[in-house]
Amino acid sequence: MVGTRRLGSLFVPVPSPVTVVVPAKINLHLGVGPRRADGYHELQTVFQAINIVDELTAYPGPGLSVFVRGGEQDAVPTDSSNLAIRAAALLAEHTGVDASARLVIRKEIPVAGGMAGGSADAAAALIACDALWQTGLPRARLAELAAELGSDVPFCLQGGTALGTGRGEVLTPVLGRGLYWWVVAIAAEGLSTAAVYAELDKQRGADASATPPDAVLAALRVGDPFQLAEAMHNDMQPAALTLRPALKATLAAGLDLGAIGGMVSGSGPTCLFLARSHAAAIRIGSAMTAENICRTVRVVKGPVPGPRVEG
Ligand code: C5P
């Protein structure tokens, strides 16, 4: 995208900033298979994008930098380990353009909450810088770069509901019905994804097989929240509960308050509850907030479409 700026009597072209809004993800099913030679685990997972979003704006450079705004801004690294910076640098390297962008992230997705906050920002940075630098990469090529950045980044480019295999980066869209109301309980302190996988290997050996996602896929085909509540499953939950035993009380509270299903989301520590309706979700969310059992509670819906370019 290009605008113009007056320089004396000349109008010179300057790229206009690009803003991308990108959703968080939850896992309706997370089946974890054996640990591979590269250290990653074979997954059979069902991702769903929800309406908790980060907003990333890419301004013209100089150089590559990132600024984070929002409640948790201090928890996000702003050096070259930041996933959005890494995404922009990878795109620049791949296309041969100058790596020159100032990325400003308005952060709503919990940090280290198992909801792909960093991966969402990386996906947004790929889309925003591709537009800012007019590199025009096809979606399939952006998805390949996304997979180099992290297992969840390809889904964050795509949105909706999808089956993820491989290490999570091989995606097949799920043709499901229905809109689901979720209550998301965000813990005070994050959990490291790598630490939860390591604990899981310790508990069940590194060559265990993944629980297949068939029951969740069948429930999504029917579009029945009660069937989905029965089917939702997370192989990582025992490991997350070992590392963070307080989550057991959070899960029990949500179910006591009327959620029809509840489990740890992804590698945790966020807990995810399915409600029978929007009204029920608001009721459960308010009661959980009053119980003060976790840091924040959000009522959200899914699926939502993937990232969108604003303006
Ligand atoms: O791919 P990503 O950087 O998000 O993964 C973070 C960590 O989670 C990896 O370093 C690895 O320890 C673990 N992981 C895994 N198997 C996967 C995905 C992630 O073991 N399929």
Side-chain angles (χ1 to χ4, degrees):
M1 294 186 195
V2 180
T4 54
R5 193 177 62 199
R6 197 177 172 146
L7 209 67
S9 58
L10 291 174
F11 286 93
V12 291
V14 284
S16 310
V18 181
T19 297
V20 175
V21 175
V22 61
K25 64 88 184 163
I26 52 178
N27 300 78
L28 312 189
H29 175 88
L30 182 48
V32 183
R35 188 151 64 96
R36 315 189 307 201
D38 63 4
Y40 285 94
H41 293 72
E42 279 297 324
L43 300 186
Q44 293 190 45
T45 187
V46 179
F47 293 109
Q48 182 161 91
I50 55 169
N51 63 334
I52 298 182
V53 296
D54 279 357
E55 186 189 277
L56 178 145
T57 303
Y59 296 88
L64 270 186
S65 58
V66 66
F67 299 87
V68 183
R69 309 215 162 103
E72 286 190 285
Q73 63 190 56
D74 296 338
V76 182
T78 51
D79 58 14
S80 57
S81 69
N82 180 286
L83 212 49
I85 290 271
R86 283 176 42 206
L90 182 67
L91 177 68
E93 183 194 314
H94 178 77
T95 54
V97 300
D98 245 8
S100 172
R102 189 163 58 89
L103 307 178
V104 178
I105 299 172
R106 217 174 64 208
K107 192 131 208 59
E108 266 196 55
I109 305 175
V111 176
M115 298 173 80
S119 303
D121 297 346
L126 285 177
I127 294 170
C129 291
D130 185 49
L132 183 74
W133 298 335
Q134 298 184 291
T135 39
L137 286 197
R139 260 309 155 106
R141 193 66 198 108
L142 284 180
E144 284 169 18
L145 297 183
E148 282 185 43
L149 292 160
S151 312
D152 291 337
V153 185
F155 176 73
C156 292
L157 271 185
Q158 185 168 310
T161 307
L163 176 67
T165 54
R167 63 182 170 94
E169 87 287 20
V170 182
L171 297 171
T172 313
V174 169
L175 298 173
R177 283 169 225 262
L179 183 70
Y180 301 92
W181 289 100
W182 302 96
V183 179
V184 174
I186 300 160
E189 231 184 291
L191 260 181
S192 142
T193 303
V196 185
Y197 274 106
E199 175 62 28
L200 184 66
D201 289 344
K202 201 169 99 190
Q203 289 185 3
R204 54 169 219 178
D207 55 358
S209 51
T211 304
D214 308 23
V216 160
L217 295 175
L220 290 171
R221 272 196 300 275
V222 177
D224 176 4
F226 291 91
Q227 194 176 331
L228 181 59
E230 187 78 6
M232 54 199 265
H233 175 81
N234 183 357
D235 282 348
M236 290 190 94
Q237 178 164 305
L241 293 182
T242 302
L243 294 181
R244 196 60 64 72
L247 297 181
K248 290 179 196 157
T250 309
L251 289 175
L255 294 168
D256 283 352
L257 290 166
I260 56 176
M263 68 180 185
V264 170
S265 175
S267 58
T270 299
C271 291
L272 181 64
F273 300 97
L274 182 54
R276 69 186 69 214
S277 64
H278 186 196
I282 291 173
R283 213 166 38 242
I284 297 163
S286 311
M288 285 197 86
T289 304
E291 285 199 10
N292 208 11
I293 203 151
C294 56
R295 179 160 61 93
T296 325
V297 181
R298 297 281 305 268
V299 171
V300 302
K301 64 180 176 183
V304 298
R308 62 168 200 275
V309 179
E310 292 278 89

